[in-house]
Amino acid sequence: MTMAATVWLGTPAQRDARAEGIGSKVSEKVASLTSSSKGASASAVALDKLPPLPFAPDALEPFIDTATMQIHHDKHHQTYITKLQTAITQAPSLKGKSLDDLNKAVGTRDIPSDVTTAVRNNGGGHWNHSFFWKILTPAESKEADYQVVASDELKKGIEEVWGSLNAFQAKFNEAATAVFGSGWAWLGVDDSGKLVISTTSNQDNPLMKAVVKNAHTPILGLDVWEHAYYLKYQNKRPDYLNSWWHVVNWKQVSHNLELAKACKPP
């Protein structure tokens, strides 16, 4: 479902902004973050519904192009949901489980063998993308400013492990670049409470303890499937990685860290 840009027009704050000469497009992008600025949870996403983007499809320009956002969200994410519903229909024992529960059960006997692959690929795809949209934000929004909105706990954790934000980003980019084929790169909290970087193949994620190495609670994730960037960046994945940092929602990442520390799902 593509959200029309007019949803974000007409609030008092935006009318004031336009009166002051600020372009309406910028007003739309910034205002689109207001409703979710306190952070949101992927685990609250319905199994059978495509969650709306928390911003307009063009809001991440020029770093992520409009066409990619529309295809990625409306087509690819929806396909994972549709195929997951088919798998659940074939395995009645899965009805009533949350998206979190399905992902955590991948690789265990809780998932019937005849739908194991379908749940792993499509339940993972649904969870990963629902999580991914929440950690993105327009580059000009406050939420994209690490120094302003990142929590002290997040800054401290990054500095303790990597020394600085720049050093962390370099290590994260290195890991994401090294993913062969399709997959994801993650920042998460391990059982000791320490921040860790990991990668997964295809639509696996760190919640799938039975099938992935270095399982942890993710607080940041990056899709490095080609469908996430190929229209704009073609085979230049490193360029996509460098651009993506401009649209990371550090307020949401900080909220995810708070949830992880409290042993709650992101």
Side-chain angles (χ1 to χ4, degrees), residues 105-195:
V106 166
T108 74
R109 294 181 179 179
D110 290 340
I111 306 294
S113 60
D114 57 334
V115 296
T116 295
T117 300
V119 171
R120 180 174 181 174
N121 291 341
N122 298 295
H126 186 14
W127 193 97
N128 293 352
H129 286 84
S130 299
F131 179 82
F132 186 53
W133 311 135
K134 297 298 183 182
I135 56 91
L136 299 177
T137 187
E140 67 271 25
S141 70
K142 179 179 66 175
E143 286 75 13
D145 191 329
Y146 176 84
Q147 296 301 332
V148 172
V149 301
S151 66
D152 290 341
E153 187 171 23
L154 177 61
K155 291 177 180 177
K156 180 181 178 181
I158 287 175
E159 290 170 5
E160 285 180 347
V161 179
W162 295 284
S164 68
L165 175 64
N166 287 340
F168 155 66
Q169 290 174 320
K171 285 294 185 181
F172 190 93
N173 283 4
E174 180 181 327
T177 301
V179 173
F180 182 78
S182 302
W184 291 73
W186 306 91
L187 172 67
V189 181
D190 67 13
D191 290 341
S192 71
K194 180 181 177 181
L195 292 180

Coordinates of all heavy atoms in Angstrom, one line a residue, residues 105-195:
A105 N 10.9 -19.7 16.0 CA 10.7 -21.2 15.9 C 11.4 -21.8 14.6 O 11.4 -23.0 14.5 CB 9.2 -21.4 15.9
V106 N 11.9 -21.0 13.7 CA 12.5 -21.5 12.5 C 13.6 -22.4 12.9 O 14.5 -22.1 13.8 CB 13.0 -20.3 11.6 CG1 14.0 -20.9 10.6 CG2 11.9 -19.6 11.0
G107 N 13.7 -23.6 12.3 CA 14.7 -24.6 12.6 C 14.4 -25.5 13.7 O 15.2 -26.4 14.1
T108 N 13.2 -25.3 14.3 CA 12.8 -26.2 15.4 C 11.6 -27.1 15.0 O 11.0 -26.9 13.9 CB 12.4 -25.4 16.7 OG1 11.1 -24.8 16.4 CG2 13.4 -24.3 17.0
R109 N 11.2 -28.0 15.9 CA 10.1 -28.8 15.6 C 8.7 -28.1 15.6 O 7.7 -28.7 15.3 CB 10.1 -30.0 16.5 CG 11.2 -31.0 16.4 CD 11.2 -32.1 17.3 NE 12.3 -33.1 17.1 CZ 12.5 -34.1 17.9 NH1 11.6 -34.5 18.8 NH2 13.5 -34.9 17.6
D110 N 8.7 -26.9 16.1 CA 7.5 -26.1 16.1 C 7.0 -25.8 14.8 O 5.8 -25.4 14.6 CB 7.7 -24.9 17.0 CG 7.8 -25.1 18.5 OD1 7.4 -26.2 18.9 OD2 8.4 -24.3 19.2
I111 N 7.9 -25.8 13.8 CA 7.5 -25.5 12.4 C 7.4 -26.9 11.6 O 8.4 -27.6 11.5 CB 8.5 -24.6 11.7 CG1 8.7 -23.3 12.5 CG2 8.0 -24.3 10.3 CD1 7.6 -22.4 12.6
P112 N 6.2 -27.2 11.2 CA 6.0 -28.5 10.4 C 7.0 -28.6 9.2 O 7.3 -27.6 8.6 CB 4.6 -28.5 9.9 CG 3.9 -27.6 10.9 CD 4.9 -26.5 11.3
S113 N 7.6 -29.7 9.0 CA 8.6 -29.9 8.0 C 8.2 -29.5 6.6 O 9.0 -29.0 5.8 CB 9.1 -31.4 8.0 OG 8.0 -32.3 7.7
D114 N 6.9 -29.7 6.3 CA 6.5 -29.4 4.9 C 6.4 -27.9 4.6 O 6.2 -27.5 3.5 CB 5.2 -30.1 4.6 CG 4.1 -29.7 5.6 OD1 4.4 -29.4 6.7 OD2 2.9 -29.8 5.2
V115 N 6.4 -27.1 5.7 CA 6.4 -25.6 5.4 C 7.6 -24.9 6.0 O 7.6 -23.7 6.1 CB 5.1 -25.0 6.0 CG1 3.9 -25.5 5.3 CG2 5.0 -25.2 7.5
T116 N 8.6 -25.7 6.4 CA 9.8 -25.1 7.0 C 10.4 -24.0 6.2 O 10.7 -22.9 6.6 CB 10.8 -26.2 7.4 OG1 10.3 -27.0 8.3 CG2 12.1 -25.6 7.9
T117 N 10.7 -24.4 4.9 CA 11.4 -23.4 4.0 C 10.5 -22.2 3.7 O 11.0 -21.1 3.7 CB 11.7 -24.1 2.7 OG1 12.6 -25.2 3.0 CG2 12.4 -23.1 1.7
A118 N 9.2 -22.4 3.5 CA 8.3 -21.3 3.3 C 8.3 -20.3 4.4 O 8.3 -19.1 4.2 CB 6.9 -21.8 2.9
V119 N 8.2 -20.9 5.6 CA 8.1 -20.0 6.8 C 9.4 -19.3 7.1 O 9.5 -18.1 7.4 CB 7.7 -20.8 8.1 CG1 7.8 -20.0 9.3 CG2 6.3 -21.3 7.9
R120 N 10.5 -20.0 6.9 CA 11.9 -19.4 7.0 C 12.1 -18.2 6.1 O 12.5 -17.1 6.5 CB 12.9 -20.5 6.8 CG 14.4 -19.9 7.0 CD 15.3 -21.1 6.9 NE 16.7 -20.7 7.1 CZ 17.8 -21.5 7.1 NH1 17.6 -22.8 7.1 NH2 19.0 -21.0 7.3
N121 N 11.8 -18.5 4.8 CA 12.0 -17.4 3.8 C 11.0 -16.3 3.9 O 11.4 -15.1 3.8 CB 11.9 -18.0 2.4 CG 13.1 -19.0 2.1 OD1 14.1 -18.9 2.8 ND2 12.9 -19.8 1.1
N122 N 9.7 -16.6 4.0 CA 8.7 -15.6 3.9 C 8.3 -15.0 5.3 O 8.1 -13.8 5.4 CB 7.5 -16.2 3.3 CG 7.8 -16.6 1.8 OD1 8.1 -15.8 1.0 ND2 7.7 -17.9 1.6
G123 N 8.4 -15.8 6.3 CA 8.2 -15.2 7.7 C 9.4 -14.3 8.0 O 9.3 -13.2 8.6
G124 N 10.6 -14.8 7.6 CA 11.8 -13.9 7.7 C 11.7 -12.7 6.9 O 12.0 -11.6 7.4
G125 N 11.3 -12.8 5.7 CA 11.1 -11.6 4.8 C 10.1 -10.6 5.4 O 10.4 -9.4 5.3
H126 N 9.0 -11.1 5.9 CA 8.0 -10.2 6.5 C 8.6 -9.5 7.7 O 8.5 -8.3 7.9 CB 6.8 -11.0 6.8 CG 5.6 -10.2 7.3 ND1 5.5 -8.8 7.2 CD2 4.5 -10.6 7.9 CE1 4.4 -8.4 7.7 NE2 3.7 -9.4 8.1
W127 N 9.2 -10.3 8.6 CA 9.8 -9.6 9.8 C 10.9 -8.6 9.5 O 10.9 -7.5 10.0 CB 10.3 -10.7 10.8 CG 10.6 -10.2 12.1 CD1 9.8 -10.2 13.2 CD2 11.8 -9.4 12.6 NE1 10.4 -9.6 14.3 CE2 11.6 -9.1 13.9 CE3 13.0 -9.0 11.9 CZ2 12.6 -8.4 14.6 CZ3 13.9 -8.3 12.6 CH2 13.7 -8.0 14.0
N128 N 11.8 -9.1 8.6 CA 13.0 -8.2 8.3 C 12.5 -6.9 7.7 O 13.1 -5.8 8.1 CB 13.9 -8.9 7.3 CG 14.5 -10.2 7.9 OD1 14.4 -10.4 9.1 ND2 15.2 -11.0 7.1
H129 N 11.6 -6.9 6.8 CA 11.2 -5.7 6.1 C 10.4 -4.8 7.0 O 10.5 -3.6 7.0 CB 10.5 -6.0 4.8 CG 11.4 -6.5 3.7 ND1 11.8 -7.8 3.6 CD2 12.0 -5.8 2.7 CE1 12.6 -7.9 2.6 NE2 12.8 -6.7 2.0
S130 N 9.5 -5.4 7.8 CA 8.8 -4.6 8.8 C 9.7 -3.9 9.8 O 9.5 -2.7 10.1 CB 7.8 -5.5 9.6 OG 6.9 -6.2 8.8
F131 N 10.8 -4.5 10.1 CA 11.8 -4.0 11.0 C 12.6 -2.9 10.2 O 12.8 -1.8 10.8 CB 12.8 -5.1 11.4 CG 13.9 -4.6 12.3 CD1 13.7 -4.4 13.7 CD2 15.2 -4.4 11.8 CE1 14.8 -4.0 14.5 CE2 16.2 -4.0 12.6 CZ 16.0 -3.8 13.9
F132 N 12.9 -3.2 9.0 CA 13.7 -2.3 8.1 C 13.1 -0.9 7.9 O 13.7 0.1 8.1 CB 14.0 -2.9 6.8 CG 14.9 -2.2 5.9 CD1 16.2 -1.8 6.3 CD2 14.5 -2.0 4.6 CE1 17.1 -1.2 5.4 CE2 15.4 -1.3 3.7 CZ 16.7 -0.9 4.1
W133 N 11.8 -0.9 7.6 CA 11.1 0.4 7.3 C 11.2 1.3 8.6 O 11.3 2.5 8.4 CB 9.6 0.2 7.0 CG 9.4 -0.8 5.9 CD1 8.4 -1.8 5.9 CD2 10.1 -1.0 4.6 NE1 8.4 -2.5 4.7 CE2 9.4 -2.1 3.9 CE3 11.1 -0.3 4.0 CZ2 9.9 -2.5 2.7 CZ3 11.5 -0.7 2.8 CH2 10.9 -1.8 2.1
K134 N 11.1 0.7 9.8 CA 11.1 1.5 11.0 C 12.4 2.2 11.3 O 12.4 3.2 12.0 CB 10.7 0.6 12.2 CG 9.3 0.0 12.1 CD 8.2 1.1 12.1 CE 6.8 0.4 12.1 NZ 5.8 1.5 12.0
I135 N 13.5 1.7 10.8 CA 14.8 2.3 11.1 C 15.3 3.2 9.9 O 16.4 3.6 9.9 CB 15.8 1.2 11.4 CG1 16.0 0.2 10.4 CG2 15.5 0.6 12.8 CD1 17.1 0.5 9.4
L136 N 14.3 3.6 9.1 CA 14.7 4.6 8.0 C 13.9 5.9 8.3 O 12.8 5.9 8.9 CB 14.2 4.0 6.7 CG 14.9 2.7 6.2 CD1 14.3 2.3 4.8 CD2 16.4 2.9 6.1
T137 N 14.5 7.0 7.8 CA 13.9 8.3 8.0 C 14.5 9.3 7.0 O 15.6 9.1 6.6 CB 14.2 8.8 9.5 OG1 13.4 10.0 9.7 CG2 15.6 9.1 9.7
P138 N 13.7 10.3 6.6 CA 14.3 11.3 5.7 C 15.6 11.9 6.3 O 15.7 12.1 7.5 CB 13.2 12.4 5.7 CG 11.9 11.6 5.9 CD 12.3 10.6 6.9
A139 N 16.5 12.1 5.4 CA 17.8 12.6 5.8 C 17.8 13.9 6.5 O 18.7 14.2 7.4 CB 18.8 12.7 4.6
E140 N 16.8 14.8 6.2 CA 16.8 16.1 6.8 C 16.0 16.1 8.1 O 15.9 17.2 8.8 CB 16.2 17.1 5.8 CG 14.7 16.9 5.5 CD 14.5 16.0 4.3 OE1 15.4 15.2 4.0 OE2 13.4 16.1 3.7
S141 N 15.5 15.0 8.5 CA 14.8 14.9 9.8 C 15.7 14.9 11.0 O 16.9 14.5 10.8 CB 13.9 13.7 9.8 OG 14.6 12.5 9.9
K142 N 15.2 15.3 12.1 CA 16.0 15.2 13.3 C 16.4 13.8 13.7 O 17.5 13.6 14.2 CB 15.2 15.8 14.5 CG 15.9 15.8 15.8 CD 15.0 16.4 16.9 CE 13.7 15.6 17.2 NZ 12.9 16.1 18.3
E143 N 15.6 12.9 13.4 CA 15.9 11.5 13.7 C 17.1 10.9 13.0 O 17.6 9.9 13.4 CB 14.6 10.6 13.4 CG 13.5 10.8 14.4 CD 12.7 12.1 14.2 OE1 12.9 12.7 13.2 OE2 11.9 12.4 15.1
A144 N 17.5 11.5 11.9 CA 18.7 11.1 11.2 C 20.0 11.7 11.7 O 21.1 11.3 11.3 CB 18.5 11.5 9.7
D145 N 19.9 12.5 12.7 CA 21.1 13.2 13.3 C 21.6 12.4 14.5 O 21.0 12.5 15.6 CB 20.7 14.6 13.7 CG 22.0 15.4 14.0 OD1 23.0 14.9 14.5 OD2 22.0 16.7 13.8
Y146 N 22.6 11.6 14.3 CA 23.1 10.7 15.4 C 23.5 11.5 16.6 O 23.1 11.1 17.7 CB 24.3 10.0 14.8 CG 25.0 9.1 15.8 CD1 24.6 7.8 16.1 CD2 26.2 9.6 16.5 CE1 25.2 7.0 17.0 CE2 26.8 8.8 17.4 CZ 26.4 7.5 17.7 OH 27.0 6.7 18.6
Q147 N 24.2 12.6 16.4 CA 24.7 13.4 17.6 C 23.5 14.0 18.4 O 23.6 14.1 19.6 CB 25.6 14.5 17.1 CG 26.9 14.0 16.5 CD 27.7 13.1 17.4 OE1 27.7 13.3 18.6 NE2 28.5 12.2 16.8
V148 N 22.4 14.3 17.8 CA 21.3 14.9 18.4 C 20.3 13.9 19.1 O 19.9 14.1 20.2 CB 20.5 15.8 17.4 CG1 19.2 16.3 18.1 CG2 21.3 17.0 16.9
V149 N 20.0 12.8 18.4 CA 18.9 11.9 18.9 C 19.4 10.6 19.4 O 18.7 9.9 20.1 CB 17.8 11.7 17.9 CG1 17.2 13.0 17.4 CG2 18.4 10.9 16.7
A150 N 20.6 10.1 19.1 CA 21.1 8.8 19.6 C 21.2 8.9 21.1 O 21.7 9.8 21.7 CB 22.4 8.4 19.0
S151 N 20.7 7.8 21.8 CA 20.8 7.8 23.2 C 22.2 7.7 23.7 O 23.1 7.2 23.0 CB 19.9 6.6 23.7 OG 20.6 5.4 23.4
D152 N 22.4 8.1 24.9 CA 23.7 8.0 25.6 C 24.1 6.6 25.6 O 25.3 6.2 25.5 CB 23.7 8.6 27.0 CG 23.6 10.2 26.9 OD1 23.9 10.7 25.9 OD2 23.2 10.7 28.0
E153 N 23.2 5.7 25.9 CA 23.5 4.2 26.0 C 24.0 3.7 24.7 O 24.9 2.9 24.6 CB 22.3 3.5 26.5 CG 22.5 2.0 26.8 CD 21.4 1.3 27.4 OE1 20.2 1.8 27.3 OE2 21.6 0.3 28.1
L154 N 23.4 4.1 23.6 CA 23.8 3.7 22.2 C 25.2 4.2 21.9 O 26.0 3.4 21.4 CB 22.8 4.1 21.2 CG 23.2 3.7 19.7 CD1 23.3 2.2 19.5 CD2 22.1 4.3 18.8
K155 N 25.4 5.5 22.2 CA 26.7 6.1 21.9 C 27.8 5.4 22.7 O 28.9 5.1 22.2 CB 26.7 7.6 22.2 CG 25.8 8.4 21.2 CD 25.8 9.8 21.7 CE 24.9 10.7 20.7 NZ 24.8 12.1 21.1
K156 N 27.5 5.1 24.0 CA 28.5 4.5 24.8 C 28.8 3.1 24.3 O 29.9 2.6 24.3 CB 27.9 4.4 26.3 CG 28.9 3.7 27.3 CD 28.2 3.7 28.7 CE 29.2 3.0 29.6 NZ 28.6 2.9 31.0
G157 N 27.7 2.3 23.9 CA 27.9 1.0 23.5 C 28.8 0.9 22.2 O 29.7 0.1 22.1
I158 N 28.5 1.8 21.3 CA 29.3 1.9 20.1 C 30.8 2.2 20.3 O 31.7 1.6 19.8 CB 28.7 2.9 19.1 CG1 27.4 2.2 18.5 CG2 29.6 3.2 17.9 CD1 26.6 3.2 17.6
E159 N 30.9 3.2 21.2 CA 32.3 3.7 21.5 C 33.1 2.6 22.3 O 34.3 2.4 22.1 CB 32.2 5.0 22.3 CG 31.8 6.2 21.5 CD 31.5 7.4 22.3 OE1 31.7 7.3 23.5 OE2 31.0 8.4 21.7
E160 N 32.4 1.8 23.1 CA 33.1 0.8 23.9 C 33.6 -0.3 23.0 O 34.7 -0.9 23.2 CB 32.2 0.2 25.0 CG 32.0 1.2 26.2 CD 31.1 0.5 27.2 OE1 30.4 -0.5 26.9 OE2 31.0 1.1 28.3
V161 N 32.9 -0.6 22.0 CA 33.2 -1.8 21.1 C 34.1 -1.3 19.9 O 35.1 -2.0 19.6 CB 32.0 -2.5 20.6 CG1 32.4 -3.6 19.6 CG2 31.1 -3.0 21.7
W162 N 33.8 -0.2 19.3 CA 34.5 0.2 18.1 C 35.3 1.5 18.2 O 36.0 1.8 17.3 CB 33.5 0.3 16.9 CG 32.9 -1.0 16.6 CD1 33.5 -2.0 15.9 CD2 31.6 -1.5 17.0 NE1 32.6 -3.1 15.8 CE2 31.4 -2.8 16.4 CE3 30.5 -0.9 17.6 CZ2 30.3 -3.5 16.6 CZ3 29.4 -1.7 17.8 CH2 29.2 -3.0 17.3
G163 N 35.1 2.2 19.3 CA 35.9 3.4 19.5 C 35.2 4.7 19.0 O 35.4 5.8 19.6
S164 N 34.4 4.6 17.9 CA 33.8 5.8 17.4 C 32.7 5.4 16.4 O 32.6 4.2 16.0 CB 34.7 6.7 16.7 OG 35.2 6.1 15.5
L165 N 31.8 6.3 16.1 CA 30.7 6.0 15.1 C 31.3 5.7 13.8 O 30.9 4.8 13.1 CB 29.8 7.2 15.0 CG 28.7 7.1 13.9 CD1 27.7 5.9 14.2 CD2 27.9 8.4 13.8
N166 N 32.3 6.5 13.4 CA 32.9 6.2 12.1 C 33.6 4.8 12.0 O 33.4 4.1 10.9 CB 34.0 7.3 11.8 CG 33.4 8.6 11.4 OD1 32.2 8.7 11.1 ND2 34.2 9.7 11.6
A167 N 34.2 4.4 13.0 CA 34.8 3.1 13.1 C 33.8 2.0 13.0 O 34.0 1.0 12.3 CB 35.7 2.9 14.3
F168 N 32.7 2.2 13.7 CA 31.6 1.2 13.7 C 31.0 1.1 12.3 O 30.8 0.0 11.8 CB 30.5 1.6 14.7 CG 29.1 1.1 14.3 CD1 28.9 -0.3 14.3 CD2 28.1 2.0 13.9 CE1 27.6 -0.8 14.0 CE2 26.9 1.5 13.5 CZ 26.6 0.1 13.6
Q169 N 30.7 2.3 11.6 CA 30.2 2.3 10.3 C 31.1 1.6 9.3 O 30.6 0.9 8.4 CB 29.9 3.7 9.9 CG 28.7 4.4 10.6 CD 28.5 5.8 10.3 OE1 29.5 6.6 10.1 NE2 27.3 6.3 10.2
A170 N 32.4 1.8 9.5 CA 33.4 1.1 8.6 C 33.3 -0.4 8.7 O 33.3 -1.2 7.7 CB 34.8 1.6 8.9
K171 N 33.2 -0.9 10.0 CA 33.1 -2.3 10.2 C 31.8 -2.9 9.7 O 31.7 -4.0 9.2 CB 33.3 -2.6 11.7 CG 34.7 -2.5 12.2 CD 35.6 -3.5 11.6 CE 37.0 -3.5 12.2 NZ 37.9 -4.5 11.6
F172 N 30.7 -2.1 9.9 CA 29.4 -2.6 9.5 C 29.4 -2.7 7.9 O 28.9 -3.6 7.4 CB 28.3 -1.6 10.0 CG 26.9 -2.1 9.8 CD1 26.2 -2.7 10.7 CD2 26.3 -1.8 8.6 CE1 24.9 -3.2 10.6 CE2 25.0 -2.2 8.3 CZ 24.3 -2.9 9.4
N173 N 29.9 -1.6 7.3 CA 30.0 -1.6 5.8 C 30.8 -2.8 5.3 O 30.5 -3.4 4.3 CB 30.6 -0.3 5.3 CG 29.6 0.8 5.3 OD1 28.5 0.7 5.8 ND2 30.0 2.0 4.8
E174 N 31.9 -3.1 6.0 CA 32.8 -4.2 5.6 C 32.0 -5.5 5.7 O 32.1 -6.4 4.8 CB 34.0 -4.3 6.6 CG 35.0 -5.4 6.3 CD 36.1 -5.4 7.3 OE1 36.5 -4.3 7.7 OE2 36.6 -6.5 7.6
A175 N 31.2 -5.7 6.7 CA 30.4 -6.9 6.9 C 29.3 -7.0 5.8 O 29.1 -8.0 5.2 CB 29.8 -7.0 8.3
A176 N 28.7 -5.9 5.6 CA 27.6 -5.8 4.6 C 28.1 -6.1 3.2 O 27.4 -6.7 2.4 CB 26.8 -4.5 4.7
T177 N 29.2 -5.5 2.9 CA 29.8 -5.7 1.5 C 30.2 -7.2 1.3 O 30.1 -7.7 0.2 CB 31.1 -4.8 1.4 OG1 30.7 -3.5 1.6 CG2 31.7 -5.0 0.0
A178 N 30.6 -7.9 2.4 CA 31.1 -9.2 2.3 C 30.0 -10.3 2.1 O 30.2 -11.4 1.9 CB 32.0 -9.6 3.5
V179 N 28.7 -9.9 2.3 CA 27.6 -10.8 2.2 C 27.6 -11.3 0.8 O 27.4 -10.5 -0.2 CB 26.3 -10.1 2.6 CG1 25.1 -11.1 2.3 CG2 26.2 -9.8 4.0
F180 N 27.7 -12.6 0.5 CA 27.7 -13.1 -0.8 C 26.3 -13.3 -1.3 O 25.5 -14.0 -0.6 CB 28.4 -14.4 -0.8 CG 28.5 -15.0 -2.2 CD1 29.4 -14.6 -3.1 CD2 27.7 -16.1 -2.6 CE1 29.5 -15.1 -4.4 CE2 27.7 -16.6 -3.9 CZ 28.7 -16.1 -4.8
G181 N 26.0 -12.7 -2.4 CA 24.6 -12.8 -2.9 C 23.6 -12.0 -2.1 O 23.9 -10.8 -1.9
S182 N 22.5 -12.6 -1.7 CA 21.5 -11.8 -1.0 C 21.5 -12.1 0.5 O 21.9 -13.2 1.0 CB 20.1 -12.3 -1.5 OG 20.0 -12.0 -2.9
G183 N 21.2 -11.0 1.3 CA 21.2 -11.2 2.7 C 21.0 -9.9 3.5 O 20.6 -8.9 2.9
W184 N 21.4 -9.9 4.7 CA 21.3 -8.7 5.6 C 22.5 -8.5 6.5 O 23.2 -9.5 6.8 CB 20.0 -8.9 6.5 CG 18.7 -8.9 5.8 CD1 18.2 -9.9 5.0 CD2 17.8 -7.8 5.8 NE1 17.0 -9.5 4.5 CE2 16.7 -8.2 5.0 CE3 17.7 -6.6 6.5 CZ2 15.6 -7.4 4.8 CZ3 16.6 -5.8 6.3 CH2 15.5 -6.2 5.4
A185 N 22.7 -7.3 6.9 CA 23.7 -7.0 7.9 C 23.0 -6.4 9.1 O 22.0 -5.7 9.0 CB 24.7 -6.0 7.4
W186 N 23.5 -6.7 10.3 CA 22.7 -6.4 11.5 C 23.7 -5.8 12.6 O 24.8 -6.2 12.7 CB 22.1 -7.6 12.1 CG 21.2 -8.4 11.2 CD1 21.6 -9.5 10.4 CD2 19.8 -8.2 11.0 NE1 20.5 -9.9 9.7 CE2 19.4 -9.2 10.0 CE3 18.9 -7.3 11.5 CZ2 18.1 -9.3 9.5 CZ3 17.6 -7.4 11.0 CH2 17.2 -8.4 10.1
L187 N 23.1 -4.9 13.4 CA 23.7 -4.5 14.7 C 22.7 -5.0 15.7 O 21.5 -4.8 15.6 CB 23.9 -3.0 14.8 CG 24.3 -2.4 16.1 CD1 25.7 -2.9 16.5 CD2 24.1 -0.9 16.2
G188 N 23.3 -5.7 16.8 CA 22.4 -6.2 17.8 C 23.0 -6.3 19.1 O 24.2 -5.9 19.3
V189 N 22.3 -6.8 20.1 CA 22.7 -7.0 21.4 C 22.8 -8.5 21.8 O 21.8 -9.2 21.6 CB 21.7 -6.3 22.4 CG1 22.2 -6.4 23.9 CG2 21.6 -4.8 22.1
D190 N 24.0 -8.9 22.2 CA 24.1 -10.4 22.5 C 23.7 -10.6 23.9 O 23.2 -9.7 24.6 CB 25.5 -10.9 22.2 CG 26.6 -10.3 23.1 OD1 26.2 -9.7 24.2 OD2 27.8 -10.4 22.8
D191 N 23.8 -11.9 24.3 CA 23.3 -12.3 25.7 C 24.0 -11.6 26.8 O 23.5 -11.5 27.9 CB 23.4 -13.8 25.8 CG 22.4 -14.5 24.9 OD1 21.4 -13.9 24.5 OD2 22.6 -15.7 24.7
S192 N 25.2 -11.1 26.5 CA 26.0 -10.4 27.6 C 25.7 -8.9 27.6 O 26.2 -8.2 28.5 CB 27.5 -10.6 27.3 OG 27.9 -9.9 26.2
G193 N 24.9 -8.4 26.7 CA 24.5 -7.0 26.6 C 25.4 -6.2 25.8 O 25.3 -5.0 25.7
K194 N 26.3 -6.9 25.1 CA 27.3 -6.2 24.2 C 26.8 -6.0 22.8 O 26.1 -6.9 22.3 CB 28.6 -7.0 24.2 CG 29.7 -6.4 23.4 CD 31.0 -7.3 23.4 CE 32.1 -6.8 22.5 NZ 33.3 -7.7 22.5
L195 N 27.1 -4.9 22.2 CA 26.7 -4.7 20.8 C 27.6 -5.5 19.9 O 28.8 -5.6 20.1 CB 26.9 -3.2 20.4 CG 25.9 -2.2 21.1 CD1 26.2 -0.8 20.6 CD2 24.5 -2.6 20.8

